[in-house]
């Protein structure tokens, strides 16, 4: 039995041949390398990189690159995604309670939660794109395309909801004819957050599988 490593996400496959598609990130068969080969290549690459860095003066590494490195080292994307993943479900729950018990204070709580998530979204999306480019070679497999689509759906849904609520503070009130459309957009955002989180978890935790 040979061990094969996905060069996109690091997933390890054991078998005579690599799988047709990586079960973690969806990368093609051609992205797999035999693990002995992968381990031979990696130190060389690291040497090349360190030589390049050595040639450059420390000042020539831009502040932006330093911040990006710091961001990746400290896993800012998995940390920041806890904001939409944790707070969007809370907002939906508050809204459901507000609708059932006709509590305007819960509706207001749901709205404030959404505002907070919307403010965090630029960090979530930016760190996600950097991580995709740096750790996953910007691979355009179904997993990453789905994650990016989900991120966009969440951003657009939140923008629509927050702007709608600003324009019409009574949109979720019992008398409002639009309250169910307003609610449905929450459900769309919740679905997108859940799917992106599920795929992210698969990528992060699948990688450590040996
Ligand atoms: Fe993979």
């Amino acid at each position: 039995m040979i061990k094969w490593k996905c060069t996109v996400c690091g997933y390890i496959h054991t078998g005579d041949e690599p799988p047709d598609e990586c079960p973690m990130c969806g990368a093609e068969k051609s992205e797999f390398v035999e693990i002995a080969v992968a381990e031979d290549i990696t130190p060389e690459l690291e040497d090349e990189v360190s030589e390049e860095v050595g040639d450059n003066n420390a000042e020539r590494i831009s502040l932006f690159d330093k911040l990006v490195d710091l961001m990746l080292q400290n896993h800012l994307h998995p940390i920041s995604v806890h904001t939409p993943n944790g707070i969007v479900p809370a907002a939906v729950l508050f809204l459901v309670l507000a609708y059932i018990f006709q509590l305007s204070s819960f509706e207001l709580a749901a709205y404030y939660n959404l505002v907070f998530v919307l403010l965090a979204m630029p960090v979530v999306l930016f760190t996600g794109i950097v991580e995709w480019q740096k750790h996953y070679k910007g691979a355009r497999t179904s997993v990453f395309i789905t994650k990016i689509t989900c991120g966009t759906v969440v951003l657009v849904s939140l923008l629509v909801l927050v702007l709608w609520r600003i324009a019409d503070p009574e949109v979720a009130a019992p008398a409002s004819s639009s309250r169910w459309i307003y609610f449905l957009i929450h459900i769309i955002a919740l679905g997108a957050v859940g799917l992106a989180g599920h795929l992210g978890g698969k990528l992060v935790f699948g990688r450590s599988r040996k």
Side-chain angles (χ1 to χ4, degrees):
M1 294 296 246
I2 304 164
K3 284 199 171 186
W4 304 87
K5 184 179 181 178
C6 172
T7 57
V8 174
C9 74
Y11 170 75
I12 308 289
H13 171 85
T14 308
D16 294 335
E17 278 200 35
D20 290 336
E21 195 179 75
C22 174
M24 292 301 146
C25 73
E28 288 175 9
K29 192 175 189 170
S30 58
E31 296 285 358
F32 277 83
V33 289
E34 269 189 54
I35 239 173
V37 177
E39 276 164 5
D40 285 348
I41 287 172
T42 314
E44 274 173 31
L45 282 178
E46 275 169 8
D47 285 349
E48 273 173 35
V49 172
S50 53
E51 270 168 32
E52 269 174 38
V53 172
D55 289 342
N56 287 336
N57 278 331
E59 303 97 83
R60 285 178 62 190
I61 302 169
S62 72
L63 184 64
F64 179 77
D65 289 337
K66 277 186 196 165
L67 286 175
V68 164
D69 282 347
L70 208 61
M71 207 170 80
L72 290 169
Q73 280 164 19
N74 292 288
H75 312 289
L76 203 58
H77 184 64
I79 291 171
S80 64
V81 290
H82 284 77
T83 308
N85 277 306
I87 300 177
V88 171
V92 172
L93 183 64
F94 279 136
L95 197 64
V96 167
L97 293 173
Y99 277 24
I100 294 173
F101 300 108
Q102 305 201 353
L103 292 164
S104 60
S105 58
F106 274 49
E107 188 279 320
L108 190 62
Y111 164 63
Y112 284 152
N113 275 314
L114 288 190
V115 171
F116 182 70
V117 179
L118 182 59
L119 293 175
M121 281 310 285
V123 177
V124 174
L125 296 175
F126 177 71
T127 55
I129 285 173
V130 169
E131 185 125 358
W132 171 52
Q133 291 293 332
K134 300 265 176 182
H135 279 170
Y136 300 100
K137 307 197 300 188
R140 291 172 189 221
T141 66
S142 57
V143 170
F144 297 105
I145 291 169
T146 309
K147 273 178 72 68
I148 293 164
T149 307
C150 286
T152 311
V153 167
V154 173
L155 178 68
V156 172
S157 308
L158 294 180
L159 263 177
V160 168
L161 289 172
V162 169
L163 293 176
W164 195 356
R165 180 62 173 67
I166 290 170
D168 178 10
E170 297 297 313
V171 64
S176 165
S177 59
S178 311
R179 68 196 304 245
W180 292 110
I181 301 172
Y182 185 73
F183 181 73
L184 182 68
I185 302 172
H186 280 76
I187 298 301
I188 293 170
L190 182 65
V193 159
L195 181 56
H198 167 70
L199 294 175
K202 208 169 129 176
L203 279 172
V204 170
F205 295 108
R207 193 161 34 158
S208 59
R209 214 189 268 176
K210 292 258 156 93

